[in-house]
Amino acid sequence: MSTTVISESSNNSLHPITAQLVGAASALGGSITIICPGGIGATDAAQISGVSKVISVEGGCFNTYDCIAWSESLSPLVKDDLILSSSSAMGRELISSIAATKGVPVVQDVTNLAEGLLVTRSIYSGKAIEEVRISSPCAISLRTNSFEAAGGGGSAEITTVNVSRDITVAVKQALTKAGERLDVSEADIIISGGRGMGEPSNFSHLYEVADALGAAVGASRAAVDTWDDIPHSMQVGQTGKTVTPNLYIAVGISGAIQHLAGMRSSKYILAINKDPEAPIFSVADYGIVATWEEALPVLKDQLSEILSS
Amino acid sequence: MGVAVLLKQVPDTTAKISVTGGRVDESSITKWSISPYDEYALENAIKLKESGYGDVVVITCGPARASKCLTEAAAVGADKLIHVVTESGSLDSIQIQALLSAAVKESSCDVVMCGKQAADTNSGSTGPGVASALGYSCVGAVTEVSIEGNVISATRLGPLGLEEVEVETPCVFTFDKGDTELRRPNVRGIMMAKKKPIDSLTSDDLGVDTSNSMVSVESHSSPPEKPPGQKFVGAESVPAVVNMLRNDANVI
Ligand SMILES: Cc1cc2nc3c(=O)[nH]c(=O)nc-3n(C[C@H](O)[C@H](O)[C@H](O)COP(=O)(O)OP(=O)(O)OC[C@H]3O[C@@H](n4cnc5c(N)ncnc54)[C@H](O)[C@@H]3O)c2cc1C
């Protein structure tokens, strides 16, 4: 089966999930074409192993984000029976619109993809796993860190195409800039704080640990709702972001079902909480019963010791 | 003119989900609710109506039980209720979007609002899909809207951060949770809502072929049980845990 991968970018360069999408497509066999909206990351995309062709799509409409204009520009370039994208907020929107434009079904946030096409996804906030059979042509978005990334060393041909549909969504002003910091949905390691942090200024301790680990900082809804300084973009959970990092560190978070919905599929979970009965310990691989005031300084010291050695 | 709100009924977040014979046992789900992000869509639609923009038409697609979410919406101010009656879980995204688009056309609303994703599958396919099917514009992850003439200003969380955007109708907006407070129904609202008629439509009424779904559920299963974790007491255990994260789990 031949596959078209819609590449993902962040900060004007190719996002690592793109290599994971190629990895998933390679396992199915067939040729792989990567489409790069706005031409971002085309050179890097061409170097991913197993890619036959890169289409760098340039055009005025890619200067701001308009889901419909983007999808109308990209859809005619999609010729394959399987369309893959990342399940980031933008990846989902774009692939939904492309699928609807092409009249093919879409299944989102898939964690396993096998021939036939059999796909696996988590439903009801992680309370059940669903296996779905979908006939091609179809579109599928894949969850970050669920698929082995394809390696480098490729040298696919890059074709540049100029298309631009009219923008109908005009950006009037930027209200807040996306954080300079790594977003929780992109991170391999996340350290999140809850109401137990006491005050928003205490999140600085989480940032210090995050900086040592190259991690993103997240928060519970109680933290986001209580403190203006903690933006909703940091919220993990049912009404925040669903994350699947390799390591999730929950500090001063009780572990309400709605919080677990967003992070229970993390590979490893470390919980730091002063209450030995806190429900977060029921999903934690490693639990430390202590206050963050006691535990975080030791954690910082330990990390700087091992990471510098 | 008018705002169509697409609502999905999902198991309440506190509901226990049990799997028997390879299928989620829907009959054991005791509480069904309007999907949380859809509630923000509904609230913003009612606000738009209060600022003078036509009626609020709520549309749901689902089995018989789903009509309850229409009545709940009527209790906080929805004017017209449309139930597209389907079997639970058997349709693919193209079919669902075709049904919803046909119902929106029937309502002749030029503004459509829904949640950015539904809490059961977390997919987020419906808003942009319906926009494409109808040929409307689409703005995702919106927290607030206001209207002047046929231009709507919206605050959205775009890839570059929070932005104010402008778009002309017709348009689909998918909602995120913002600072908006949700209104709660009062007794009078609840009483009135019970009497509000629900317009029930079938796929035949809407002229949509739902016979060949391209997607079928093979099986459901419970998530794999994690082996019980290890618990330590006191900050003095931190070095040992860091050691395990590095050498056993290989994550740092
Ligand atoms: C529809 C709906 C959607 C929701 N969506 C979300 C969501 O997306 N994300 C989310 O997180 N929540 C969500 N919630 C809210 C959720 O139910 C909880 O209220 C919330 O997660 C609690 O946040 P918390 O754990 O930070 O606070 P709390 O429950 O107050 O817990 C604080 C914890 O900190 C510990 N603590 C206190 N002091 C210290 C200290 N010094 N050191 C260490 N530990 C300490 C306490 O023992 C306690 O366990 C939702 C709720 C509803 C109804």
Side-chain angles (χ1 to χ4, degrees), chain A residues 71-306:
Chain A
S71 122
E72 285 179 350
S73 304
L74 303 177
S75 294
L77 302 168
V78 177
K79 308 274 193 241
D80 296 313
D81 280 350
L82 176 61
I83 314 169
L84 294 182
S85 77
S86 117
S87 66
S88 68
M90 195 166 111
R92 283 173 205 243
E93 253 180 49
L94 199 52
I95 202 169
S96 306
S97 179
I98 292 173
T101 305
K102 300 199 79 78
V104 303
V106 60
V107 178
Q108 305 268 11
D109 207 22
V110 159
T111 54
N112 191 50
L113 176 61
E115 258 164 78
L117 282 168
L118 262 184
V119 303
T120 308
R121 64 171 170 178
S122 146
I123 54 170
Y124 302 130
S125 315
K127 291 183 222 169
I129 310 289
E130 183 171 77
E131 203 179 41
V132 179
R133 190 175 294 280
I134 176 166
S135 31
S136 64
C138 63
I140 300 173
S141 71
L142 305 184
R143 187 181 278 193
T144 314
N145 295 341
S146 301
F147 296 84
E148 198 74 44
S155 56
E157 165 207 354
I158 303 178
T159 315
T160 302
V161 178
N162 249 290
V163 278
S164 188
R165 292 305 183 98
D166 288 345
I167 287 273
T168 59
V169 180
V171 176
K172 287 293 152 185
Q173 59 167 323
L175 299 172
T176 57
K177 264 189 49 191
E180 308 268 286
R181 291 193 162 267
L182 192 60
D183 189 83
V184 287
S185 58
E186 295 186 1
D188 287 333
I189 301 180
I190 297 170
I191 179 163
S192 289
R195 184 160 26 214
M197 293 306 292
E199 278 182 45
S201 59
N202 289 332
F203 270 62
S204 62
H205 299 280
L206 303 178
Y207 281 110
E208 284 175 35
V209 175
D211 287 343
L213 287 169
V217 177
S220 71
R221 173 155 159 188
V224 170
D225 285 356
T226 316
W227 300 313
D228 287 346
D229 294 352
I230 313 292
H232 179 247
S233 59
M234 283 168 65
Q235 185 180 318
V236 171
Q238 193 211 319
T239 46
K241 288 175 177 148
T242 302
V243 297
T244 47
N246 286 326
L247 174 61
Y248 187 88
I249 308 176
V251 186
I253 292 178
S254 59
I257 182 94
Q258 296 89 356
H259 189 80
L260 301 186
M263 46 63 77
R264 71 188 317 156
S265 312
S266 304
K267 206 161 185 185
Y268 286 92
I269 296 168
L270 163 62
I272 300 174
N273 196 304
K274 69 174 185 186
D275 172 10
E277 303 299 324
I280 190 76
F281 287 123
S282 70
V283 298
D285 302 276
Y286 304 103
I288 299 175
V289 182
T291 65
W292 63 263
E293 289 93 332
E294 296 159 345
L296 288 184
V298 189
L299 181 59
K300 259 181 287 180
D301 285 353
Q302 286 291 310
L303 290 174
S304 52
E305 205 166 290
I306 61 162

Side-chain angles (χ1 to χ4, degrees), chain B residues 38-166:
Chain B
D38 295 354
E39 292 192 286
Y40 291 98
L42 177 61
E43 177 63 38
N44 279 279
I46 297 169
K47 285 215 169 104
L48 212 58
K49 169 180 126 174
E50 287 167 346
S51 71
Y53 197 80
D55 278 355
V56 172
V57 181
V58 288
I59 303 172
T60 193
C61 181
R65 60 166 156 76
S67 65
K68 183 173 147 261
C69 72
L70 298 174
T71 309
E72 286 165 8
V76 289
D79 300 290
K80 208 173 154 232
L81 321 180
I82 300 180
H83 184 182
V84 181
V85 185
T86 60
E87 288 299 312
S88 180
S90 55
L91 302 176
D92 65 34
S93 58
I94 290 296
Q95 295 171 322
I96 292 167
Q97 291 160 19
L99 290 169
L100 290 170
S101 306
V104 170
K105 266 191 211 149
E106 195 122 310
S107 75
S108 66
C109 290
D110 55 1
V111 174
V112 179
M113 295 184 174
C114 62
K116 69 167 182 176
Q117 50 194 211
D120 51 357
T121 64
N122 256 343
S123 290
S125 311
T126 300
V130 165
S132 294
L134 289 167
Y136 286 14
S137 300
C138 180
V139 186
V142 170
T143 51
E144 262 173 69
V145 290
S146 61
I147 191 158
E148 235 183 281
N150 66 337
V151 178
I152 296 189
S153 309
T155 306
R156 74 160 179 196
L157 186 63
L160 302 176
L162 216 52
E163 295 172 328
E164 189 188 311
V165 300
E166 272 182 14

Side-chain angles (χ1 to χ4, degrees), chain A residues 60-71:
Chain A
C61 73
F62 295 104
N63 292 333
T64 56
Y65 178 57
D66 177 340
C67 158
I68 301 293
W70 284 36
S71 122

